[in-house]
Amino acid sequence: MQNIKNFINGEFVVGAEGKTFDKRSPLTNQVIASVHEAGRADVDRAVMAARQALHGEWGALTMEQRVDLLYGVANEITRRFEDFVDAEMADTGQPRHVMTHAFIPRGAANFKVFADVIKNVPSESFRMDTPDGRGALNYAIRVPKGVVGVIAPWNAPFLLMTWKVGPALACGNTVVVKPSEETPLTTTLLGEVMNSVGIPKGVFNVIHGFGPDSAGEFLTHHPKVDAITFTGETRTGTAIMSAAAKGMRDVSFELGGKNAGIVFADADFDAAVDGIFRSAFLNSGQVCLGTERVYVERPIFEKFVNALKDKAEAVKFGRPDDPNANYGPLISAEHKEKVMSYYAKAVEEGATVVTGGGVPEVPAELAAGHWVQPTIWTGLPETAAVVQEEIFGPCCHIRPFDSEDEVVQLANANDYGLSTTIWTTNLTRAHRMAARIEVGITWINSWFLRDLRTPFGGSKQSGIGREGGVHSLEFYTETRNVCVKL
Ligand code: NAD
Ligand code: 6OD
């Protein structure tokens, strides 16, 4: 069993209060690690270490030196690729290919790409006229925001944490990171990487614990944290925003989604079925950008429902490393209970259960894990809870539509606005629709593809702000203007 410590000022340390909590495997519900919880005093130590590094060795580096160190972090993650893959598989129970093709490589890229972005960002300047005819030059300089609190969720832990830490460090900030209590392993491993490549002490700190009345709340209320970047539930974002209001701290939020997938009759049928299958069921549906509402043009509705059903029924449940398996469990018993309650609610609301709705048969040694069947419903009104609320599980409701205007209106009739995926061969129509759908990202004939230099974030209740490329610099730096009389 692993013993997972906090990482404060370059050292792995237990919490001052001596408290620990169990990390359980999603596959078996067995305890796989004992995690040292950070109390208020530990969080304070982490924040003060980050402050000191900001004004110490880290703050004294040139941008080139900082960038070289971040390339070193990316290379070291790649060198220790298998360690990260193993840790993330243990934390999440998700298949190896999800780790090796998406989550871990993207973690390394988050350091390399933002090192490149900061190196290439131009600075703004304006020459202005003055009454004496000599003029003045205004130019902007970027300075780090300071100590950034990073609060991460459990669904793609390494990808989502590094996506914040990479740009924050590239911009010269220092960070205190609180990973989810469900997934402490890869963030802790990153502490080893930081030490081995020579990132100065205090630049990257990790505190473990929960949200309310624990490390998360202590961090967001700490007066010496200058900005908070958060990925997680919309409800948690509301609590963090009120903590950040005290002291006027800036926030960047990536929150929940209830995303629409739209399939036109002219789409490449097989590609659309594969695409919607991936967007609804990858990572057992635990992807913020995942599709839980599917709208299919009427002429192909039945054929599409049957094809998606066949694929959902073909998944093979099992361990991440089992070559005969391709499908993992949910993250926790609590999350399984939530998803199962929506499965029951769908039936109460009158859904036709096309497939799933229950717990699959798995080998006896996995029976205590958090397994649920991929589930497809039809026949519900748009007002049904399972059509409106984020479930964050492997499920979707499919409804037929008859026109472009109708489907745009259906896609927009939700409080969230994170992403959409449109499947059609009529690209003129797809571009037209992309401008009308109220989300941060629209995919056309694809899903989960994104260049890290592009803006990422949510509309409506799916978030505040944009990160990615220069947009991350907007959040992780403060711009100051200098005006020189010529
Ligand atoms: P969550 O909001 O429950 O927890 C996220 C993090 O916040 C955890 O580290 C948790 O300990 C911490 N936390 C909880 N309460 C807190 C508080 N009061 N103060 C400070 N910290 C607190 O979310 P989750 O269940 O871990 O993740 C799933 C959610 O994340 C889903 O809603 C999903 O859509 C969303 N998500 C969004 C994106 C995006 O990019 N928009 C990406 C991934 C996940
Ligand atoms: O593409 C990304 O950078 C990103 N943040 C993906 C989010 C995935 C959510 O589960």
Side-chain angles (χ1 to χ4, degrees), residues 295-360:
Y295 301 101
V296 179
E297 208 172 7
R298 201 173 297 274
I300 59 163
F301 179 75
E302 268 182 42
K303 184 178 167 199
F304 185 92
V305 171
N306 288 331
L308 199 68
K309 169 179 186 281
D310 289 347
K311 282 185 83 76
E313 290 178 352
V315 304
K316 301 265 182 280
F317 302 92
R319 288 185 177 276
D321 263 331
D322 178 347
N324 298 315
N326 60 8
Y327 207 80
L330 298 181
I331 189 72
S332 64
E334 188 189 354
H335 192 52
K336 178 178 173 183
E337 195 178 308
K338 173 182 163 188
V339 171
M340 291 304 293
S341 78
Y342 275 106
Y343 284 11
K345 193 174 275 183
V347 174
E348 282 161 30
E349 287 181 314
T352 299
V353 182
V354 175
T355 188
V359 172

Side-chain angles (χ1 to χ4, degrees), residues 65-297:
Q65 289 169 324
R66 218 164 60 218
V67 157
D68 282 349
L69 282 170
L70 296 183
Y71 284 144
V73 173
N75 291 340
E76 185 64 4
I77 292 169
T78 306
R79 195 184 69 77
R80 296 192 60 183
F81 192 76
E82 286 303 320
D83 295 343
F84 279 96
V85 167
D86 287 345
E88 196 89 317
M89 287 192 312
D91 254 349
T92 64
Q94 291 300 320
R96 169 171 279 275
H97 69 87
V98 177
M99 307 304 147
T100 55
H101 286 84
F103 291 1
I104 305 303
R106 186 63 170 268
N110 280 329
F111 287 96
K112 186 169 176 316
V113 169
F114 287 102
D116 288 337
V117 170
I118 193 78
K119 261 182 20 185
N120 290 302
V121 68
S123 69
E124 195 180 321
S125 76
F126 292 96
R127 192 185 181 293
M128 65 185 288
D129 292 335
T130 55
D132 63 7
R134 286 163 54 194
L137 182 67
N138 293 258
Y139 66 91
I141 53 173
R142 285 183 184 277
V143 297
K145 274 265 170 67
V147 175
V148 179
V150 178
I151 304 204
W154 47 258
N155 62 306
F158 191 59
L159 180 157
L160 290 168
M161 177 271 298
T162 51
W163 151 248
K164 308 291 197 173
V165 173
L169 298 192
C171 292
N173 301 280
T174 57
V175 295
V176 179
V177 183
K178 200 208 77 67
S180 168
E181 55 275 29
E182 303 290 354
T183 50
L185 301 185
T186 42
T187 308
T188 311
L189 207 49
L190 189 58
E192 290 181 19
V193 167
M194 296 289 177
N195 276 352
S196 69
V197 304
I199 295 283
K201 289 180 189 315
V203 171
F204 173 80
N205 304 275
V206 181
I207 50 165
H208 290 295
F210 303 83
D213 202 27
S214 181
E217 193 177 297
F218 303 151
L219 179 62
T220 54
H221 281 79
H222 199 294
K224 297 291 183 190
V225 171
D226 299 296
I228 302 166
T229 180
F230 166 72
T231 305
E233 281 193 31
T234 300
R235 201 180 30 181
T236 312
T238 307
I240 293 178
M241 198 164 184
S242 81
K246 208 168 166 195
M248 290 296 157
R249 276 95 50 77
D250 204 357
V251 294
S252 171
F253 285 169
E254 291 167 14
L255 308 174
K258 186 75 181 178
N259 311 303
I262 299 170
V263 183
F264 283 91
D266 65 8
D268 173 335
F269 185 81
D270 292 341
V273 172
D274 283 354
I276 294 287
F277 175 78
R278 256 174 30 86
S279 69
F281 300 121
L282 182 84
N283 213 31
S284 302
Q286 302 165 121
V287 180
C288 58
L289 303 159
T291 303
E292 290 189 356
R293 299 183 288 145
V294 184
Y295 301 101
V296 179
E297 208 172 7

